[in-house]
Structures are given as structure tokens and as C-alpha cells.
Amino acid sequence: MLPDELGKFGRFGGRMVPETLMSALEQLETLYRSSQADPEFTGELDRLLHSYAGRPTPLTYAKRLTEHAGGAKILLKREDLLHTGSHKINNTLGQALLARRMGKQRIIAETGAGQHGVATATVAALFGLECEIYMGELDMERQQLNVFRMQILGARVNPVRSGTRTLKDATNEAIRDWVTNIETTHYIIGSVVGPHPYPMIVRDFQSIIGREALQQVVQSEGRLPDCIVACVGGGSNAIGIFHPFVEHETVQLVGVEAGGLGLAGGQHAASIAAGSPGILHGSLSYLQQDDDGQVLDTHSIAAGLDYPSVGPEHAFLASSGRAQYVIEQDADALQTFVLLARTEGIVPAFESAHAVARAVRIAAQLRPDQLVLVNLSGRGDKDAPSAMSILENQP
């Protein structure tokens, strides 16, 4: 199973970091592998996922959305119903247990939409750990509810004012903190990005989404889905639902990147659709960069997708042809934000709305006896103020 012993997914991934981080990464990999083989660790994680996070999440038949699409049956995997409102809690519970095993009493994290920050602050409170979150100043402005939630949970939220004041810049600051405090601090990376072993660890903790979905869809429909759709920024929710289905080659895997205002003007966050191989935050993947290798600015209505690279396993799946990566633009996501609310009574996160928008397009092209499964990665409370502002100012 990928990654290989060097932490690579084909040519992508790896561990390209300063020497000061190498020993911490090696310690983390060793501890993670031993923990995965320890029934005490896996049993405690399973218990927390069930009794604290709220797993298993249900599989919901979106009847009225299916009728709207006019084709294949659309099923929603409801990660939005988890404690803290998104799939991020799956990973933070696992990594908090690892931090406790390493004897580290301080955790840090980066966040874009704030959902990973909220999940990290939540587990820090649960385990009695000191917690600091790095968040771009622009993201703090558009995700004020989540900033308050992190603060009320006891975390210190550090505004990042450099660069585009979004997720990339928050990640830079979190890495700087980690280098400085490596002996006392565990860095809970929130997506399948960064140096090895993080893409592997986050994938494994999130793959419970796909394991549950596979069992549920077979139980309810008696067959595998024809297509699975998930949004992709760094890509943790997508790899979480894709991973158990990768070996089932009849199942089409579709990742949806943020097309922003369109690829032509450069105002987007479509790393695979419009990027090229490059190194960011310690690993090789698709990256939005200019001819000199400088990282380009990004844009998305969804703060959680506003990142100029993507997890290396997604880069591998794209280059091998096992998964397809497409875009949906801001306007499509906003329209679907309203559509899902009015057809199913579910307000999705802007991130998830990208996936639902593509699922509707795909379903419309398929037969009624076919199945499209969408990972609804988070709920839309955090995006309601932004949506209200945009909708009120539309002509």
C-alpha cells in the first residue's frame, strides 16, 4: 500500500523539510505505526469516534435533489452531522491521542475555513492540552463564527497577516512555530498535505468515511456506487471516502477543485486542473506556481479550498488516471448552497457545495438505475454570513 518507505505516492510526496524537523517526523511515524497495531489505541479511538464524534454518520437518499437532476440516484454521506460540524474531528481525535502518547502537552494547527481549527480546539479541551491555532486574517474575517468557537473552547487564535492572509500563509506560520517548539509541541496538520508521514496518517484517520460508506451503500442498495464525488482543497475528505474504493475500479472517483472566478483569470484554487508539479510545505505535488517556481495567489469562495497545492496521493491518483479532477466555480457553489437547502433541508458548507454541484451534473448524464455518492464534508453555518452578504447584493 502506498506510500512507499520514503513516503512517496509514485513520484509525489516525500519528506523535504529542514533537518530540525526530521527527528520529530521520524518519531511520529514510528509511534503511529506502533499505535495502529495496538488494540488499546485503536479501541480508544473507535470508542471516541462512536460516543463523542457521533459515528457512524448516516447515508441519506437525496430524493428531491435526484428529481431535480433528472438522472441517477444521489446519496449523501453525512459528515456534516458529526460533532463540530465536519469530517475534521475524525483526524483530530486520532492525532490528539498520538500527541498524548508522545507526552506533548501543547498542540498547534493551521486552519482555513476554521472547521479544522474548531475540531483541534475541541480535542485540546477534551484532553486538557494547550492549543494555538494559526489562521489567515482574511479567513478570520469571513469565518467569524468559527473564530469565536475556537476561542470559547480555550484556544488562542493567531491572525496571520502575510501573503494572501489565507490557508497557505497560516500553514507557513504553524510550521515556524513547530520548528521553534519541536520538543513540546505536536502539529496537527488538518489535511493530506505536508511531509511524510502526515498524508498517510490523515488519510488513514479519514478513511473511516469510505469504509462506512462502502458498507452502507451495499446494505441499502445492494451494489457499489457508479460514481463518488468529493471536494478537494488539500483533499482530506476526498481521500477519506476515495481510499476504500480505489481498488474497486468500476467506481468512478471525481474530485472537485475550486474554480473560483474561472481558470482564465487566475482567480481560482485548482491545483491539479491548472497547476504543475512543485514542492510546498515539505512534499512534491501539483502546485500553482509561475515560471520561476513562485507560489501563485489563490481564490475561492470556500476558505477551506483556498490552498495552492493538493495532497500528494491525489496527485498520484490524477497522474495515474484512477481519479478525475474537475472544477466548479464560486457561482456554482453558491447556487448549490441554496439548491440543497431548498430541496433537502440541508445547508452545506461552501466546500461541500462544490461537490454537490458536480454530482448534480454527473447524475443528469446517468441512468435512473445508477448511483452517485457525494461526501457532504461539512455543514454551512459558518458560511451563512458570507452567503447572506453575497445574495443580498446580487442584482
Side-chain angles (χ1 to χ4, degrees), residues 247-318:
E247 64 184 32
H248 299 282
E249 296 189 356
T250 61
V251 181
Q252 182 186 14
L253 306 177
V254 178
V256 186
E257 296 188 299
L261 303 179
L263 299 187
Q267 295 294 301
H268 59 81
S271 304
I272 295 176
S276 58
I279 297 172
L280 182 68
H281 297 143
S283 68
L284 175 69
S285 187
Y286 283 105
L287 173 65
Q288 295 183 56
Q289 56 189 328
D290 63 19
D291 292 339
D292 297 322
Q294 296 298 308
V295 180
L296 296 173
D297 292 345
T298 57
H299 163 80
S300 173
I301 192 174
L305 303 182
D306 203 349
Y307 184 69
S309 189
V310 65
E313 191 164 4
H314 285 294
F316 170 74
L317 293 174

Side-chain angles (χ1 to χ4, degrees), residues 7-337:
K8 291 193 172 183
F9 302 85
R11 61 179 294 209
F12 300 102
R15 183 185 287 166
M16 287 157 272
V17 295
E19 190 63 32
T20 51
L21 294 181
M22 290 299 285
S23 63
L25 291 168
E26 290 168 356
Q27 178 197 19
L28 177 60
E29 181 178 4
T30 300
L31 179 80
Y32 171 69
R33 293 190 184 281
S34 65
S35 297
Q36 286 297 90
D38 182 351
E40 183 177 346
F41 178 89
T42 57
E44 184 171 14
L45 179 57
D46 288 345
R47 180 181 61 78
L48 287 168
L49 289 170
H50 174 74
S51 64
Y52 187 76
R55 304 210 71 90
T57 58
L59 197 67
T60 298
Y61 167 39
K63 183 175 183 294
R64 294 192 65 222
L65 187 69
T66 297
E67 292 169 354
H68 172 86
K73 188 174 184 178
I74 299 174
L75 303 171
L76 305 175
K77 179 60 175 167
R78 300 294 307 280
E79 295 298 289
D80 60 310
L81 295 179
L82 283 171
H83 179 45
T84 73
S86 82
H87 69 292
K88 295 295 186 181
I89 193 72
N90 303 323
N91 171 53
T92 54
L93 280 171
Q95 289 207 48
L97 290 177
L98 293 177
R100 192 176 67 181
R101 285 199 162 201
M102 288 186 285
K104 296 188 175 181
Q105 293 297 309
R106 178 175 181 265
I107 56 176
I108 60 172
E110 85 297 331
T111 195
Q115 294 299 87
H116 175 56
V118 170
T120 301
T122 298
V123 299
L126 181 66
F127 290 109
L129 302 172
E130 181 185 354
C131 180
E132 290 205 38
I133 307 293
Y134 290 89
M135 190 171 189
E137 190 175 49
L138 175 61
D139 290 338
M140 289 182 68
E141 292 171 3
R142 54 182 175 174
Q143 300 291 329
Q144 293 181 21
L145 174 61
N146 275 343
V147 173
F148 176 74
R149 293 172 72 193
M150 287 180 258
Q151 292 170 334
I152 203 70
L153 287 161
R156 177 178 176 182
V157 184
N158 299 293
V160 177
R161 300 185 172 89
S162 58
T164 56
R165 302 178 295 142
T166 56
L167 181 56
K168 168 180 68 69
D169 312 294
T171 305
N172 291 340
E173 290 304 315
I175 291 174
R176 289 191 184 97
D177 182 314
W178 197 34
V179 170
T180 305
N181 302 288
I182 197 80
E183 296 298 325
T184 61
T185 299
H186 175 59
Y187 178 15
I188 300 184
I189 291 182
S191 195
V192 284
V193 300
H196 178 67
Y198 277 107
M200 173 182 69
I201 289 175
V202 180
R203 176 200 68 192
D204 290 352
F205 285 145
Q206 293 293 3
S207 64
I208 190 170
I209 304 170
R211 293 197 303 274
E212 281 181 8
L214 195 157
Q215 183 180 39
Q216 289 168 327
V217 74
V218 169
Q219 283 180 344
S220 65
E221 306 295 329
R223 55 177 298 230
L224 293 174
D226 296 280
C227 180
I228 298 176
V229 187
C231 64
V232 175
S236 65
N237 90 89
I239 212 70
I241 194 165
F242 286 176
H243 188 61
F245 289 91
V246 166
E247 64 184 32
H248 299 282
E249 296 189 356
T250 61
V251 181
Q252 182 186 14
L253 306 177
V254 178
V256 186
E257 296 188 299
L261 303 179
L263 299 187
Q267 295 294 301
H268 59 81
S271 304
I272 295 176
S276 58
I279 297 172
L280 182 68
H281 297 143
S283 68
L284 175 69
S285 187
Y286 283 105
L287 173 65
Q288 295 183 56
Q289 56 189 328
D290 63 19
D291 292 339
D292 297 322
Q294 296 298 308
V295 180
L296 296 173
D297 292 345
T298 57
H299 163 80
S300 173
I301 192 174
L305 303 182
D306 203 349
Y307 184 69
S309 189
V310 65
E313 191 164 4
H314 285 294
F316 170 74
L317 293 174
S319 64
S320 67
R322 177 63 188 93
Q324 296 175 298
Y325 294 84
V326 298
I327 66 162
E328 292 290 344
Q329 298 188 20
D330 286 355
D332 304 309
L334 183 63
Q335 184 178 36
T336 306
F337 179 87

Side-chain angles (χ1 to χ4, degrees), residues 364-377:
Q365 301 300 316
L366 299 179
R367 303 186 308 272
D369 63 336
Q370 293 183 290
L371 298 173
V372 176
L373 171 61
V374 189
N375 193 25
L376 201 68
S377 56

